[in-house]
Amino acid sequence: MKKLINDPANVLADSLMGVAAAHPELRVDHTNRIIYRGEPTRAGKVAVISGGGSGHEPLHGGFVGLGMLDAAISGEVFTSPTPDQVQEATKVADGGAGVLHIVKNYTGDVMNFEMAAELADAETGVKVETVVTNDDVAVEDSTYTAGRRGVGVTVLLEKIVGAAAEEGRDLAAVADLARRVNSSGRSMGMALTSCTVPAAGKPTFDLPDDMMEMGVGIHGEPGRHRVPLAPASDIAQQLVEPILHDFDFTGGPAIVMLNGMGGTPLIELYLMYGEVAKILEKSGITVARNLVGNYITSLDMAGCSVTLLTADDELLKLWDAPVNTAGLRWGV
């Protein structure tokens, strides 16, 4: 294992020290491992928070800031944050209008966020709404989930819902919007290599040089099947076809994200986006907005994922609204 680390046991703590040094506009609670906006949530604004295991950067800490999250809770690598961590973030971030929890559909995350919401309500009376993302079409169930995994739509949802909260919409409206976004998006990923968790010191799974994993999860969970390595055009087809089979995206414009898993260079990600764009055009799908880059990663895994989201005029307006975070920035 070759990684830019000190002690494998301190990777998260050391990384958060770096976040604090690089982004003085943010506030880092090193004890509870929570990243907040520098300024408290303004009175009357719904606080939007998310979190999960580390190793998926910039998700979630890289999306804390104007137009997106008010706080992000960091668990250990690929491990859910504890209920106490989530409860602390919920209490601190609340500006009096309630808190929206955005939770990816992994068993530990769902359970711990749910417990934290109950504790926060009992202790301080803060009102919490929870939306669970489950956009991965690769599998219905996995080692980590009951039902579909929450993956790329989480990024798009945090942007859109963050903009709605910034506008001053109330908690019920923000939660309803989040559920609508989740139900309108689908994702599929693939891997060329495994990732290596620092504490483990070796790849999570073995993948021969001439094979690839289709439908892989963001923790390295197996996907639909292992198939021979193929040209990018074929890989794009294998990613997009299950998405289009699962949901009809021809009714309106779409937001498309071509996401890197952490170990794939941008030259390859743009090449893949070009192949995906050709398939979508042939399928009669209008791409209104796109993202290409590393937004929800799996440490050093080589591979990519495709996310499609149906977007009407309202969603596109919220997408275009100003955002200023470490991982996403425009309009400011």
Side-chain angles (χ1 to χ4, degrees), residues 278-300:
K278 285 188 282 188
I279 295 168
L280 297 179
E281 184 178 8
K282 288 180 182 177
S283 301
I285 297 168
T286 301
V287 178
R289 306 287 188 276
N290 69 75
L291 280 180
V292 179
N294 291 302
Y295 296 101
I296 175 170
T297 60
S298 183
L299 292 170
D300 54 347

Side-chain angles (χ1 to χ4, degrees), residues 66-116:
L66 174 73
M68 285 191 82
L69 299 177
D70 293 275
I73 311 106
S74 304
E76 291 292 343
V77 174
F78 294 175
T79 303
S80 171
T82 66
D84 287 347
Q85 286 177 274
V86 180
Q87 180 190 10
E88 177 68 12
T90 302
K91 291 190 298 182
V92 172
D94 180 36
V99 179
L100 176 68
H101 286 176
I102 300 171
V103 187
K104 302 184 302 301
N105 189 31
Y106 294 94
T107 303
D109 288 11
V110 172
M111 179 176 65
N112 289 351
F113 270 84
E114 182 178 313
M115 192 179 304

Side-chain angles (χ1 to χ4, degrees), residues 23-40:
H23 296 287
E25 75 277 10
L26 300 175
R27 181 164 48 94
V28 180
D29 175 350
H30 294 282
T31 301
N32 293 292
R33 295 174 174 176
I34 303 166
I35 300 172
Y36 297 100
R37 297 192 196 186
E39 298 295 324

Side-chain angles (χ1 to χ4, degrees), residues 168-293:
R169 301 190 194 188
D170 65 25
L171 182 58
V174 170
D176 285 346
L177 175 67
R179 296 185 183 101
R180 176 155 68 94
V181 171
N182 179 61
S183 67
S184 302
R186 299 291 187 273
S187 299
M188 177 83 165
M190 58 80 59
L192 298 172
T193 69
S194 173
C195 58
T196 299
V197 176
K202 60 182 181 180
T204 303
F205 59 89
D206 294 320
L207 188 58
D209 289 343
D210 61 347
M211 301 292 286
M212 57 186 180
E213 187 82 31
M214 299 303 301
V216 72
I218 57 172
H219 305 94
E221 315 96 297
R224 289 191 168 195
H225 42 248
R226 187 165 289 187
V227 297
L229 190 62
S233 56
D234 293 345
I235 296 173
Q237 199 74 43
Q238 292 182 60
L239 289 174
V240 174
E241 278 186 358
I243 292 173
L244 300 187
H245 178 75
D246 196 86
F247 191 86
D248 183 7
F249 287 93
T250 58
I255 298 171
V256 180
M257 180 171 72
L258 194 292
N259 170 67
M261 294 293 194
T264 300
L266 274 172
I267 190 171
E268 295 176 31
L269 296 181
Y270 276 111
L271 189 155
M272 280 296 299
Y273 180 78
E275 297 296 338
V276 168
K278 285 188 282 188
I279 295 168
L280 297 179
E281 184 178 8
K282 288 180 182 177
S283 301
I285 297 168
T286 301
V287 178
R289 306 287 188 276
N290 69 75
L291 280 180
V292 179

